Amino acid sequence: MDLFEYQGKQYFARYDIPVSRGGPADTVEEAIKEANQAGYPVVVKAQVQVGGRGKAGGIKLADNEAEVREHAGNILGMDIKGHVVKRLWIEQASDIDEEYYASFTLDRAAKKHLLMLSAEGGVEIEAVAESNPDAIVKLHIDPVDGLDEATARQACVDAKLPERALDGAADILVKLYRCFTEGDCDLAEINPLILKPTGEVHALDAKVTLDENAEFRHPEWDAFRGLTEMDDREKMAAEKGLQYIGLDGTVGIIANGAGLAMSTLDVVNQVGGSAANFLDIGGGANADVMAGALEVINFDDNVQSILINIFGGITRGEEVAKGIVEAMGRVDLRAPIVIRLDGTNAEEGRQILLDAGIPADKLRSEPTMLDAARAAVAIAK
Ligand code: GDP
Ligand code: MN
């Protein structure tokens, strides 16, 4: 789960990482209220999950109420690389002496955590990696050992941070590492990490990705949910507990298991079609889950045909079939279904579909994944 900047900063604050005082705003009036509370000058910041907001005009300094009104009005509704700005974050502006970069990620190949640190922050780290790779210090951290203050400080020295930034930066690195590990992040990035004229070091931006596998031990993540950048289809699927990702094509796809769902996408592409979504109903899915999945697919205007690809292991064919029949009774499906049903109790499942007397132009069965994909793509054309 990717967090917005302001959520990332709220998460940082839980781990004592210094961030600027501020508040979220969805309207110009709210922005003014937050600005008055934070104290001028303030920064008006677009909350979209894409980098380079500054360059795109989504981040503006404001010295007074009139300027907040102007900038908030301009930035709300702005399109930044395909992301429409619906929310702002208003924070007290900081004076900046220098901008650095710091992040923690998991290096899967090395089976270690990876700190990346650079004195060249504020710009995209990919650009630094390209033009001046030596300016990025990379330090692998054994998760068993963790990161202590002395090691963090040495990394700051290696990255050529100035003497007066060392203590503050090392302190933040240790806290950011705690946030990354105890906070179960896949990514915790600060760009820029700033040095103020006063000598304080401070997080001016936040990019946090949470590892959803750890959700069960983080009740505090509930507050982030629902506010993340999901389209309506994805929200509906999330409410039903489905693994769903919206795509741009016309063939709605339901499969059991992520691997099978991906193969199905590939086969649809291979026969000249395009998928409207990725949807894994998981192992052991029952009739209710199948009905929910069809409802989500049906919600998508672009869907011209629905391809259901089930290879039953724990998932049982008769449950899948019951779900389809139930969903067809419950909702008026906009597109016909092509199903490939194989594996556990497939025969019983097919019989249930036959007995339901669904006309062939609404539902047909194909013996293989390839045949089913061809039929679904032909309908979608
Ligand atoms: P990004 O462009 O999406 O990465 O957004 P950032 O939050 O990183 O802001 C981009 C740039 O705007 C920073 O690198 C700063 O140079 C500038 N900026 C952001 N906040 C402040 C602030 O409080 N004071 C000043 N002077 N500049 C800021
Ligand atoms: Mn940034």
Side-chain angles (χ1 to χ4, degrees), residues 5 43 45 51-54 59 61 93-94 96 99 122 191-192 204-205:
E5 174 201 0
V43 198
K45 307 187 80 174
R53 293 165 302 160
I59 294 177
L61 283 160
S94 307
I96 304 173
E99 302 192 23
N191 188 22
L204 207 63
D205 192 5

Side-chain angles (χ1 to χ4, degrees), residues 23 41 62 99 118 132 176 181 197 224-225 274 292 297 334 339 348:
E99 302 192 23
S118 177
N132 193 5
L176 187 63
T181 52
F224 299 141
R225 236 189 231 290
S274 61
I297 299 243
R334 68 172 71 246
I339 183 169
E348 287 90 324

